Amino acid sequence: WLKAARVRTICNNELCSVLMKRPILLAVASFFWQTVPLFARRLDQTPMSKVVELLIDLSHTIETDGVTEQKSYDNYACWCEETLVRKVREINEAKATITKTEMEMKELNADLGALGADIEHLKKGIAANQQAQREAVEIRDKEVADYNDQKLESEQCIGALEQAIKVLTGAGTGKKVLGNIQEAQLLSVA
């Protein structure tokens, strides 16, 4: 009761307004007000009562420390369990991804081998096709040359035959036989 009266009297003073504005001063004043009555009580105490009081204070401190430590441990244990579950899930997902990727790699390597064989086969086919094209071009060139030779020869033969027909059409009449023969010889040479 006395303690409460002292606090009320001090709080009514201007000191209270100053202490409320400065939290550090408030904390120091609060500590001082709480310890003054303890010192007064301890002056009346016997050594045994001091030991009992110290043990009670120690017990109280240990219990509060235990509660805070238990809360900290509970938070840490909860975090550990959540993290463990998450890590196990992530590890399983990573293993599944690794397995899937390895299978895809094997499939792609198999496809690569098959495609490599197809490429070699197609290269051989292309080389054979190019060789066949060269041979076909050579054959066409020979055929064109033969055709041109035959055409020229045929044209010359036709020209000679036309001249021979002209010469022969006037053969029974006796006109210019010599001129027609020379003309036929010139055409056959050309």
Side-chain angles (χ1 to χ4, degrees):
W1 174 79
L2 183 61
K3 184 177 177 183
R6 277 190 212 150
V7 170
R8 270 188 243 133
T9 328
I10 292 174
C11 282
N12 289 335
N13 294 337
E14 293 176 17
L15 179 64
C16 185
S17 64
V18 171
L19 290 177
M20 293 299 177
K21 291 178 184 175
R22 297 197 176 124
I24 295 174
L25 289 176
L26 180 64
V28 170
S30 171
F31 176 75
F32 178 71
W33 287 325
Q34 290 175 359
T35 56
V36 168
L38 289 175
F39 288 129
R41 275 190 302 175
R42 288 191 178 165
L43 292 176
D44 313 350
Q45 294 180 346
T46 65
M48 189 60 137
S49 64
K50 287 181 184 179
V51 169
V52 170
E53 188 177 331
L54 286 174
L55 288 175
I56 291 171
D57 288 344
L58 181 63
S59 172
H60 178 65
T61 305
I62 289 173
E63 286 177 7
T64 47
D65 287 349
V67 169
T68 56
E69 290 296 323
Q70 184 63 41
K71 286 180 183 177
S72 296
Y73 174 79
D74 290 343
N75 287 336
Y76 178 72
C78 182
W79 177 83
C80 287
E81 289 175 10
E82 290 172 355
T83 303
L84 180 65
V85 169
R86 184 172 37 99
K87 292 299 178 184
V88 167
R89 184 181 63 244
E90 289 173 356
I91 288 170
N92 289 336
E93 289 172 358
K95 284 180 181 178
T97 302
I98 288 170
T99 304
K100 180 182 173 186
T101 305
E102 286 175 346
M103 290 181 69
E104 287 177 357
M105 286 174 55
K106 287 178 184 177
E107 290 174 4
L108 291 175
N109 283 334
D111 290 346
L112 183 64
L115 293 174
D118 288 345
I119 288 171
E120 290 301 317
H121 176 71
L122 292 173
K123 282 182 180 179
K124 289 178 184 177
I126 289 171
N129 189 0
Q130 288 174 342
Q131 181 62 31
Q133 284 178 352
R134 281 193 290 274
E135 291 172 2
V137 167
E138 289 175 6
I139 291 171
R140 262 186 270 132
D141 289 344
K142 283 182 184 178
E143 289 175 351
V144 167
D146 288 345
Y147 170 77
N148 287 335
D149 289 344
Q150 285 178 359
K151 180 181 172 187
L152 180 63
E153 187 179 327
S154 296
E155 286 175 354
Q156 287 176 355
C157 287
I158 291 172
L161 287 174
E162 285 176 354
Q163 286 303 319
I165 290 173
K166 283 183 188 178
V167 169
L168 291 176
T169 40
T173 61
K175 299 179 185 174
K176 277 189 348 168
V177 175
L178 186 59
N180 285 339
I181 292 175
Q182 288 176 349
E183 204 177 290
Q185 284 176 353
L186 284 175
L187 287 174
S188 68
V189 172

